[in-house]
Amino acid sequence: MTTSVPTQASSVGGRSRRLGLLVVCLGVMMAFVDVTSTISALGDIQTDLRVTASTLVWITSAYSLAVVSFVMSAGTFGDLFGRRRVFSLGAAVFLAGSVLAVFADSAGMLIAAQATAGLGGAAVLPTSLAIVSATFTDPHERTAAIGIWAACSGVGLAVGPILAGALLEHFSWHAVYLANIVIAGAALLLAPVFVTESRHPARRPDLAGLVLGTVMTASATYAIIQGGSTGYTETPIITMYVVFATSLFLFVRVELRNPDPMLDLRLFRNASFSAVMGVAAISVFGLVGVALLSVLYMERVGRTSPLDVGVRLLPLFGPFLLVTVIAARVLVRRIGLTPLIAAGLVLIGAGSLALLATDASGGYGAMWPGLLVAGVGAGLLTAPSTAAAVNSVPPEQEGMAAAAVNMARQLGTVLGPSVLGTIVTSRFPRNLHDRLVEADIPSPQADKIVAGVSHGGGATELPASLARVVGTAVPRAFTDAVHLGNLIGGVVLIVMAVPAAMFVRQKVHGAGSSTEA
């Protein structure tokens, strides 16, 4: 590999570097605001558009599907054509998708808008991290800067529900996407002024890798999302898995033979690098999954207003933001990388399991401790795991590592809503049907009631006696479904802590370099 030459980046003054960091952090915040603001608006969207639960999953998942599918390609294009240029293009595309969402009048149009915004997010995330890595060359400065970068994802996750809630108090769900337009517009305008261009001058296009990598990730992600709704044994889902397996085989074959691949698969020979990729995916899976399940519980069981939902999520995202900065600046040096990552996974999992204490009353008292524990856990590991991925490779592969860790994180963003959200949306109708039958309601009538409730309807048109039964059964059935999601998510996170503790090392070696993370 040829040594990377970041154009002017290493000579940028301290003040200019900080301003550039601020701008790329706007892009990161923008990419994550969309995730939680859309989750917060799901109730209003379903009521207005009268969409099914399976379609509702796609409104959140279309964004992440686009990010996962194109994030590696975007990282490569940033190395080739300039990271600032691709970052700015991503902000523009994200802005266009947000404008389309503001005017969406159908579920299909909103899903298309989310996918468009996801293309922009796919360009912003890896290039922003690669810009930070190229600008801050000292390992300790870089870890602190990456900590700020990672914390801004927490800012986006925390701000999303509050902004959405405040807007939904006075406007329709369309207004939620106005915040995206403002942030994307600011990033687009400021990037040419404050962000220094950098690229990998000797990088060559890997067109076969780009195509195969995109097909591979898109087919697998689509099968995960859609299979949760239709069943994983359906013919279209099996077809997608065949496409995934074929493209994976060809991708590995092509990349191993290419002297300048889009993704150097030899990096995965390093057990620590591979473990960090797993940590990145599973940690975001847990964090976004906890957020989604909590929003659904508060909206459907607690009947909490959108603004109050945003405020009540602060015990999750507030500690995440604060602890991320502290972990990057202080705890990595004092405690070490591996203990922080393992402890973070255990705490997110414990927080998810603690949410099993909630009940059908919708009370918040049993909820906030679990959110707090999960937020602290996510803050402990986000910056260390991100820095470990970038520090584990030589300078010429930093853009590749940035794209890889972002793809892993976005895969977690897909898995959280699609797997855990699908568990809730698929289990709830079954739970409700069983409870209605137990209350001596005939099965055919129970089926009709379940269909109505699943499409966003209620029990207002039913006779008074039947309405009372349904009104009691619905929150209990939904709480049981949410508990199942919390249980599965918590167990997965805690199990992942074992390979993290075994394989992630304080000193991460990569392709001829050794860097203290």
Side-chain angles (χ1 to χ4, degrees):
M1 286 285 185
T2 306
T3 303
S4 174
V5 182
T7 308
Q8 303 175 356
S10 57
S11 62
V12 178
R15 182 172 180 273
S16 297
R17 288 191 301 166
R18 288 192 293 271
L19 289 172
L21 176 61
L22 175 63
V23 174
V24 297
C25 282
L26 276 177
V28 176
M29 186 171 70
M30 166 196 83
F32 282 92
V33 162
D34 184 274
V35 175
T36 50
S37 62
T38 300
I39 289 173
S40 299
L42 286 179
D44 288 56
I45 291 171
Q46 185 176 34
T47 300
D48 180 38
L49 300 181
R50 307 289 292 178
V51 298
T52 63
S54 58
T55 302
L56 201 66
V57 170
W58 272 109
I59 290 174
T60 57
S61 297
Y63 176 84
S64 296
L65 173 62
V67 173
V68 172
S69 300
F70 293 99
V71 69
M72 282 299 301
S73 302
T76 299
F77 284 127
D79 287 345
L80 287 168
F81 304 114
R83 292 153 183 163
R84 183 183 68 185
R85 181 176 298 171
V86 175
F87 174 91
S88 298
L89 177 62
V93 173
F94 186 95
L95 191 152
S98 300
V99 171
L100 183 62
V102 169
F103 294 100
D105 58 1
S106 67
M109 187 174 178
L110 181 57
I111 290 171
Q114 284 285 82
T116 302
L119 290 175
V124 164
L125 288 170
T127 51
S128 63
L129 182 53
I131 288 168
V132 171
S133 299
T135 302
F136 296 87
T137 54
D138 176 78
H140 293 302
E141 281 191 354
R142 176 186 292 167
T143 300
I146 289 175
I148 296 172
W149 177 92
C152 285
S153 68
V155 173
L157 291 170
V159 166
I162 296 175
L163 278 176
L167 291 168
L168 290 169
E169 289 283 312
H170 304 287
F171 306 102
S172 75
W173 60 264
H174 299 84
V176 167
Y177 297 97
L178 292 174
N180 294 354
I181 294 174
V182 173
I183 301 173
L188 182 61
L189 291 174
L190 295 175
V193 180
F194 296 112
V195 177
T196 302
E197 184 64 282
S198 65
R199 59 171 57 87
H200 185 337
R203 192 80 185 267
R204 290 178 292 177
D206 176 16
L207 296 179
L210 288 172
V211 173
L212 290 170
T214 301
V215 172
M216 175 185 70
T217 52
S219 58
T221 306
Y222 176 87
I224 290 170
I225 297 170
Q226 188 63 22
S229 300
T230 62
Y232 291 102
T233 58
E234 295 295 316
T235 301
I237 304 303
I238 294 174
T239 301
M240 283 296 102
Y241 280 127
V242 171
V243 171
F244 164 70
T246 304
S247 56
L248 173 63
F249 172 79
L250 294 174
F251 178 78
V252 171
R253 187 180 180 88
V254 166
E255 296 303 274
L256 288 177
R257 293 183 175 185
N258 193 327
D260 191 11
M262 178 182 73
L263 177 62
D264 189 351
L265 299 177
R266 297 171 185 84
L267 292 175
F268 289 93
R269 293 175 180 172
N270 184 327
S272 182
F273 183 84
S274 298
V276 168
M277 293 299 106
V279 167
I282 296 301
S283 62
V284 179
F285 162 85
L287 179 64
V288 177
V290 165
L292 172 66
L293 297 182
S294 299
V295 168
L296 293 175
Y297 172 81
M298 286 187 280
E299 288 184 345
R300 306 293 178 85
V301 179
R303 299 297 177 185
T304 309
S305 71
L307 180 57
D308 286 341
V309 168
V311 173
R312 291 184 179 192
L313 284 176
L314 286 178
L316 176 65
F317 294 124
F320 171 51
L321 171 61
L322 295 175
V323 176
T324 294
V325 176
I326 295 171
R329 291 182 173 272
V330 180
L331 297 181
V332 168
R333 297 185 188 185
R334 293 187 178 181
I335 299 176
L337 184 122
T338 304
L340 285 179
I341 291 176
L345 288 165
V346 170
L347 286 175
I348 303 174
S352 184
L353 294 178
L355 291 171
L356 295 174
T358 57
D359 57 33
S361 68
Y364 186 64
M367 190 173 194
W368 68 263
L371 296 177
L372 178 64
V373 171
V376 171
L380 284 178
L381 65 81
T382 299
S385 61
T386 305
V390 176
N391 288 349
S392 65
V393 301
E396 65 268 19
Q397 292 180 312
E398 287 168 357
M400 182 187 299
V405 73
N406 272 294
M407 183 178 71
R409 288 167 63 85
Q410 290 306 312
L411 179 59
T413 306
V414 167
L415 291 173
S418 60
V419 174
L420 299 181
T422 299
I423 287 170
V424 173
T425 56
S426 61
R427 290 297 305 179
F428 168 60
R430 301 179 204 171
N431 292 347
L432 180 57
H433 181 274
D434 292 344
R435 287 189 174 273
L436 293 176
V437 172
E438 289 172 4
D440 296 326
I441 295 175
S443 184
Q445 187 176 9
D447 289 336
K448 292 181 181 179
I449 295 172
V450 169
V453 172
S454 298
H455 282 73
T460 55
E461 298 179 359
L462 298 174
S465 59
L466 187 56
R468 283 193 296 271
V469 174
V470 174
T472 301
V474 167
R476 290 179 178 174
F478 200 87
T479 300
D480 289 344
V482 170
H483 282 175
L484 180 60
N486 286 325
L487 177 63
I488 292 174
V491 170
V492 169
L493 285 155
I494 292 173
V495 168
M496 184 63 204
V498 176
M502 291 175 61
F503 299 116
V504 176
R505 295 189 300 273
Q506 177 68 19
K507 283 192 174 182
V508 185
H509 304 276
S513 73
S514 178
T515 308
E516 185 83 12

